[in-house]
Short mmCIF file of all heavy atoms in Angstrom, two decimals:
data_model
loop_
_atom_site.label_atom_id
_atom_site.label_comp_id
_atom_site.label_asym_id
_atom_site.label_seq_id
_atom_site.Cartn_x
_atom_site.Cartn_y
_atom_site.Cartn_z
N THR A 171 14.74 11.04 -16.89
CA THR A 171 16.04 11.11 -16.33
C THR A 171 16.18 10.17 -15.19
O THR A 171 17.12 9.44 -14.98
CB THR A 171 16.44 12.51 -15.92
OG1 THR A 171 16.64 13.35 -17.06
CG2 THR A 171 17.69 12.52 -15.10
N VAL A 172 15.18 10.17 -14.24
CA VAL A 172 15.30 9.32 -13.09
C VAL A 172 15.23 7.83 -13.54
O VAL A 172 15.95 7.06 -13.04
CB VAL A 172 14.04 9.62 -12.14
CG1 VAL A 172 13.92 8.66 -11.00
CG2 VAL A 172 14.13 11.01 -11.56
N ARG A 173 14.45 7.50 -14.55
CA ARG A 173 14.34 6.16 -15.01
C ARG A 173 15.64 5.66 -15.66
O ARG A 173 16.06 4.63 -15.59
CB ARG A 173 13.16 6.06 -15.99
CG ARG A 173 11.81 6.16 -15.32
CD ARG A 173 10.66 5.79 -16.30
NE ARG A 173 9.37 5.88 -15.59
CZ ARG A 173 8.57 6.98 -15.63
NH1 ARG A 173 8.94 8.11 -16.27
NH2 ARG A 173 7.44 6.92 -15.05
N ALA A 174 16.28 6.64 -16.38
CA ALA A 174 17.49 6.31 -17.11
C ALA A 174 18.62 6.06 -16.13
O ALA A 174 19.50 5.16 -16.34
CB ALA A 174 17.87 7.48 -18.05
N VAL A 175 18.74 6.89 -15.09
CA VAL A 175 19.76 6.60 -14.04
C VAL A 175 19.52 5.34 -13.33
O VAL A 175 20.45 4.60 -13.01
CB VAL A 175 19.86 7.83 -13.07
CG1 VAL A 175 20.85 7.56 -11.96
CG2 VAL A 175 20.26 9.13 -13.83
N ASP A 176 18.24 5.03 -13.03
CA ASP A 176 17.83 3.80 -12.48
C ASP A 176 18.70 3.38 -11.26
O ASP A 176 19.29 2.33 -11.22
CB ASP A 176 17.97 2.71 -13.58
CG ASP A 176 17.30 1.41 -13.15
OD1 ASP A 176 16.40 1.47 -12.36
OD2 ASP A 176 17.65 0.30 -13.66
N HIS A 177 18.64 4.26 -10.26
CA HIS A 177 19.37 4.02 -9.01
C HIS A 177 18.40 3.98 -7.86
O HIS A 177 17.52 4.85 -7.78
CB HIS A 177 20.38 5.08 -8.86
CG HIS A 177 21.43 4.74 -7.81
ND1 HIS A 177 21.21 4.67 -6.49
CD2 HIS A 177 22.81 4.45 -7.91
CE1 HIS A 177 22.29 4.38 -5.79
NE2 HIS A 177 23.24 4.14 -6.75
N PRO A 178 18.50 3.03 -6.98
CA PRO A 178 17.59 2.96 -5.81
C PRO A 178 17.56 4.20 -4.93
O PRO A 178 16.61 4.42 -4.17
CB PRO A 178 18.01 1.69 -5.07
CG PRO A 178 19.41 1.43 -5.47
CD PRO A 178 19.44 1.95 -6.88
N ASN A 179 18.65 4.98 -4.97
CA ASN A 179 18.76 6.19 -4.09
C ASN A 179 18.44 7.41 -4.89
O ASN A 179 18.77 8.53 -4.40
CB ASN A 179 20.10 6.26 -3.46
CG ASN A 179 20.24 5.16 -2.33
OD1 ASN A 179 20.38 3.94 -2.70
ND2 ASN A 179 20.14 5.53 -1.08
N LEU A 180 17.83 7.28 -6.00
CA LEU A 180 17.40 8.45 -6.80
C LEU A 180 15.95 8.30 -7.10
O LEU A 180 15.44 7.27 -7.54
CB LEU A 180 18.17 8.64 -8.14
CG LEU A 180 17.72 9.76 -8.95
CD1 LEU A 180 17.99 11.14 -8.41
CD2 LEU A 180 18.34 9.68 -10.41
N MET A 181 15.10 9.34 -6.76
CA MET A 181 13.68 9.44 -7.09
C MET A 181 13.38 10.80 -7.59
O MET A 181 14.18 11.75 -7.58
CB MET A 181 12.89 9.07 -5.87
CG MET A 181 13.07 10.01 -4.68
SD MET A 181 12.24 9.41 -3.25
CE MET A 181 12.73 10.68 -2.04
N ALA A 182 12.17 10.96 -8.04
CA ALA A 182 11.62 12.28 -8.52
C ALA A 182 10.95 13.00 -7.36
O ALA A 182 10.38 12.38 -6.44
CB ALA A 182 10.70 12.10 -9.68
N LEU A 183 10.87 14.30 -7.49
CA LEU A 183 10.15 15.11 -6.55
C LEU A 183 9.19 16.00 -7.42
O LEU A 183 9.65 16.65 -8.26
CB LEU A 183 11.09 16.04 -5.79
CG LEU A 183 10.50 16.97 -4.66
CD1 LEU A 183 11.63 17.51 -3.82
CD2 LEU A 183 9.66 18.11 -5.24
N ILE A 184 7.88 15.82 -7.21
CA ILE A 184 6.95 16.66 -7.99
C ILE A 184 6.67 17.93 -7.17
O ILE A 184 6.20 17.92 -5.99
CB ILE A 184 5.60 16.01 -8.21
CG1 ILE A 184 5.78 14.71 -9.03
CG2 ILE A 184 4.62 16.91 -8.91
CD1 ILE A 184 4.41 13.91 -9.19
N ASP A 185 7.03 19.08 -7.76
CA ASP A 185 6.58 20.41 -7.33
C ASP A 185 5.41 20.77 -8.15
O ASP A 185 5.57 21.05 -9.45
CB ASP A 185 7.72 21.45 -7.35
CG ASP A 185 7.23 22.78 -6.79
OD1 ASP A 185 6.16 23.30 -7.22
OD2 ASP A 185 7.93 23.27 -5.90
N PHE A 186 4.23 20.68 -7.71
CA PHE A 186 2.98 20.78 -8.52
C PHE A 186 2.78 22.20 -9.07
O PHE A 186 2.42 22.29 -10.30
CB PHE A 186 1.76 20.39 -7.66
CG PHE A 186 1.73 19.01 -7.17
CD1 PHE A 186 2.09 18.63 -5.93
CD2 PHE A 186 1.29 18.02 -8.06
CE1 PHE A 186 2.14 17.36 -5.51
CE2 PHE A 186 1.28 16.64 -7.64
CZ PHE A 186 1.73 16.27 -6.41
N SER A 187 3.16 23.22 -8.38
CA SER A 187 3.06 24.55 -8.95
C SER A 187 4.08 24.77 -10.11
O SER A 187 3.79 25.37 -11.09
CB SER A 187 3.34 25.57 -7.88
OG SER A 187 3.19 26.90 -8.36
N HIS A 188 5.32 24.22 -9.85
CA HIS A 188 6.32 24.28 -10.95
C HIS A 188 5.75 23.64 -12.15
O HIS A 188 5.95 24.10 -13.32
CB HIS A 188 7.64 23.66 -10.53
CG HIS A 188 8.32 24.44 -9.46
ND1 HIS A 188 9.49 23.91 -8.86
CD2 HIS A 188 8.08 25.61 -8.80
CE1 HIS A 188 9.90 24.88 -7.93
NE2 HIS A 188 9.05 25.86 -7.89
N ALA A 189 5.24 22.36 -12.01
CA ALA A 189 4.66 21.65 -13.18
C ALA A 189 3.58 22.40 -13.84
O ALA A 189 3.49 22.34 -15.06
CB ALA A 189 4.26 20.28 -12.68
N TYR A 190 2.78 23.04 -13.11
CA TYR A 190 1.63 23.81 -13.61
C TYR A 190 2.11 24.98 -14.45
O TYR A 190 1.59 25.16 -15.58
CB TYR A 190 0.75 24.25 -12.39
CG TYR A 190 -0.63 24.79 -12.72
CD1 TYR A 190 -1.23 24.64 -13.95
CD2 TYR A 190 -1.33 25.43 -11.72
CE1 TYR A 190 -2.46 25.19 -14.17
CE2 TYR A 190 -2.60 25.92 -11.86
CZ TYR A 190 -3.18 25.82 -13.11
OH TYR A 190 -4.44 26.25 -13.31
N ILE A 191 3.06 25.73 -13.94
CA ILE A 191 3.62 26.87 -14.64
C ILE A 191 4.31 26.37 -15.95
O ILE A 191 4.06 27.00 -17.01
CB ILE A 191 4.55 27.57 -13.76
CG1 ILE A 191 3.83 28.32 -12.54
CG2 ILE A 191 5.38 28.66 -14.58
CD1 ILE A 191 4.75 28.87 -11.54
N GLU A 192 5.01 25.32 -15.88
CA GLU A 192 5.72 24.84 -17.06
C GLU A 192 4.81 24.29 -18.09
O GLU A 192 5.02 24.48 -19.30
CB GLU A 192 6.78 23.73 -16.64
CG GLU A 192 7.72 23.31 -17.77
CD GLU A 192 8.75 24.31 -18.28
OE1 GLU A 192 8.73 25.51 -17.72
OE2 GLU A 192 9.48 24.15 -19.17
N ALA A 193 3.75 23.66 -17.66
CA ALA A 193 2.74 23.12 -18.63
C ALA A 193 2.05 24.26 -19.30
O ALA A 193 1.79 24.22 -20.54
CB ALA A 193 1.73 22.20 -17.83
N THR A 194 1.75 25.37 -18.53
CA THR A 194 1.08 26.51 -19.18
C THR A 194 2.09 27.19 -20.22
O THR A 194 1.66 27.45 -21.32
CB THR A 194 0.70 27.57 -18.14
OG1 THR A 194 -0.14 26.94 -17.19
CG2 THR A 194 0.05 28.76 -18.81
N TYR A 195 3.29 27.30 -19.73
CA TYR A 195 4.31 27.93 -20.66
C TYR A 195 4.53 27.20 -21.98
O TYR A 195 4.69 27.75 -23.05
CB TYR A 195 5.64 28.05 -19.89
CG TYR A 195 6.80 28.64 -20.67
CD1 TYR A 195 6.86 30.06 -20.85
CD2 TYR A 195 7.78 27.85 -21.10
CE1 TYR A 195 7.95 30.58 -21.51
CE2 TYR A 195 8.83 28.36 -21.83
CZ TYR A 195 8.91 29.74 -22.08
OH TYR A 195 9.95 30.29 -22.71
N ARG A 196 4.54 25.85 -21.92
CA ARG A 196 4.86 25.03 -23.08
C ARG A 196 3.54 24.54 -23.79
O ARG A 196 3.71 23.80 -24.72
CB ARG A 196 5.63 23.82 -22.65
CG ARG A 196 7.11 24.27 -22.18
CD ARG A 196 7.97 23.07 -22.14
NE ARG A 196 9.24 23.36 -21.62
CZ ARG A 196 10.36 22.82 -22.02
NH1 ARG A 196 10.30 21.96 -23.00
NH2 ARG A 196 11.56 23.00 -21.47
N GLY A 197 2.42 24.75 -23.25
CA GLY A 197 1.16 24.29 -23.83
C GLY A 197 1.02 22.76 -23.66
O GLY A 197 0.48 22.02 -24.53
N LEU A 198 1.41 22.24 -22.44
CA LEU A 198 1.30 20.85 -22.14
C LEU A 198 0.11 20.59 -21.23
O LEU A 198 -0.44 21.52 -20.65
CB LEU A 198 2.67 20.36 -21.45
CG LEU A 198 3.96 20.58 -22.16
CD1 LEU A 198 5.14 20.23 -21.33
CD2 LEU A 198 3.94 19.75 -23.54
N ASP A 199 -0.18 19.30 -21.14
CA ASP A 199 -1.29 18.86 -20.23
C ASP A 199 -0.73 18.69 -18.80
O ASP A 199 0.13 17.78 -18.60
CB ASP A 199 -1.93 17.59 -20.69
CG ASP A 199 -3.10 17.11 -19.95
OD1 ASP A 199 -3.00 17.14 -18.66
OD2 ASP A 199 -4.08 16.72 -20.47
N PHE A 200 -1.08 19.53 -17.92
CA PHE A 200 -0.56 19.55 -16.54
C PHE A 200 -0.70 18.12 -15.91
O PHE A 200 0.23 17.59 -15.32
CB PHE A 200 -1.33 20.62 -15.74
CG PHE A 200 -1.09 20.63 -14.19
CD1 PHE A 200 0.16 20.49 -13.72
CD2 PHE A 200 -2.15 20.78 -13.31
CE1 PHE A 200 0.40 20.48 -12.36
CE2 PHE A 200 -1.94 20.75 -12.02
CZ PHE A 200 -0.71 20.68 -11.51
N TYR A 201 -1.85 17.52 -15.99
CA TYR A 201 -2.11 16.27 -15.34
C TYR A 201 -1.39 15.14 -16.06
O TYR A 201 -1.00 14.14 -15.31
CB TYR A 201 -3.61 15.98 -15.23
CG TYR A 201 -4.28 17.04 -14.27
CD1 TYR A 201 -4.98 18.13 -14.79
CD2 TYR A 201 -4.15 16.87 -12.92
CE1 TYR A 201 -5.60 19.00 -13.94
CE2 TYR A 201 -4.70 17.85 -12.10
CZ TYR A 201 -5.42 18.90 -12.62
OH TYR A 201 -5.96 19.81 -11.78
N ALA A 202 -1.17 15.24 -17.33
CA ALA A 202 -0.45 14.23 -18.11
C ALA A 202 1.04 14.29 -17.64
O ALA A 202 1.71 13.22 -17.52
CB ALA A 202 -0.54 14.36 -19.57
N GLU A 203 1.58 15.50 -17.36
CA GLU A 203 2.93 15.64 -16.88
C GLU A 203 3.14 14.98 -15.49
O GLU A 203 4.01 14.33 -15.21
CB GLU A 203 3.31 17.10 -16.86
CG GLU A 203 3.54 17.69 -18.28
CD GLU A 203 4.66 17.03 -19.09
OE1 GLU A 203 5.76 17.13 -18.63
OE2 GLU A 203 4.34 16.44 -20.09
N ILE A 204 2.10 15.26 -14.60
CA ILE A 204 2.18 14.65 -13.27
C ILE A 204 2.10 13.12 -13.37
O ILE A 204 2.81 12.44 -12.65
CB ILE A 204 1.01 15.14 -12.42
CG1 ILE A 204 1.23 16.68 -12.07
CG2 ILE A 204 0.87 14.47 -11.05
CD1 ILE A 204 0.01 17.32 -11.44
N ALA A 205 1.18 12.66 -14.28
CA ALA A 205 1.08 11.19 -14.45
C ALA A 205 2.37 10.50 -14.77
O ALA A 205 2.65 9.37 -14.39
CB ALA A 205 0.00 10.91 -15.52
N ALA A 206 3.15 11.26 -15.64
CA ALA A 206 4.44 10.70 -16.03
C ALA A 206 5.44 10.58 -14.87
O ALA A 206 6.33 9.67 -14.85
CB ALA A 206 5.02 11.48 -17.21
N MET A 207 5.33 11.60 -13.96
CA MET A 207 6.30 11.56 -12.80
C MET A 207 5.84 10.73 -11.66
O MET A 207 6.71 10.24 -10.96
CB MET A 207 6.41 13.03 -12.33
CG MET A 207 7.24 13.91 -13.21
SD MET A 207 7.59 15.52 -12.39
CE MET A 207 8.80 15.02 -11.18
N ALA A 208 4.58 10.55 -11.39
CA ALA A 208 4.06 9.90 -10.24
C ALA A 208 4.64 8.61 -9.86
O ALA A 208 5.09 8.44 -8.74
CB ALA A 208 2.56 9.88 -10.28
N PRO A 209 4.87 7.68 -10.80
CA PRO A 209 5.38 6.36 -10.44
C PRO A 209 6.80 6.34 -9.94
O PRO A 209 7.24 5.37 -9.24
CB PRO A 209 5.29 5.56 -11.79
CG PRO A 209 4.25 6.26 -12.62
CD PRO A 209 4.43 7.73 -12.30
#
Side-chain angles (χ1 to χ4, degrees):
T171 290
V172 172
R173 292 186 177 96
V175 175
D176 191 24
H177 195 289
N179 288 75
L180 176 67
M181 61 185 177
L183 184 169
I184 298 177
D185 186 306
F186 295 98
S187 181
H188 292 178
Y190 194 9
I191 292 168
E192 187 69 358
T194 302
Y195 178 76
R196 295 195 183 216
L198 302 172
D199 184 315
F200 171 44
Y201 294 100
E203 292 296 300
I204 294 173
M207 287 191 72

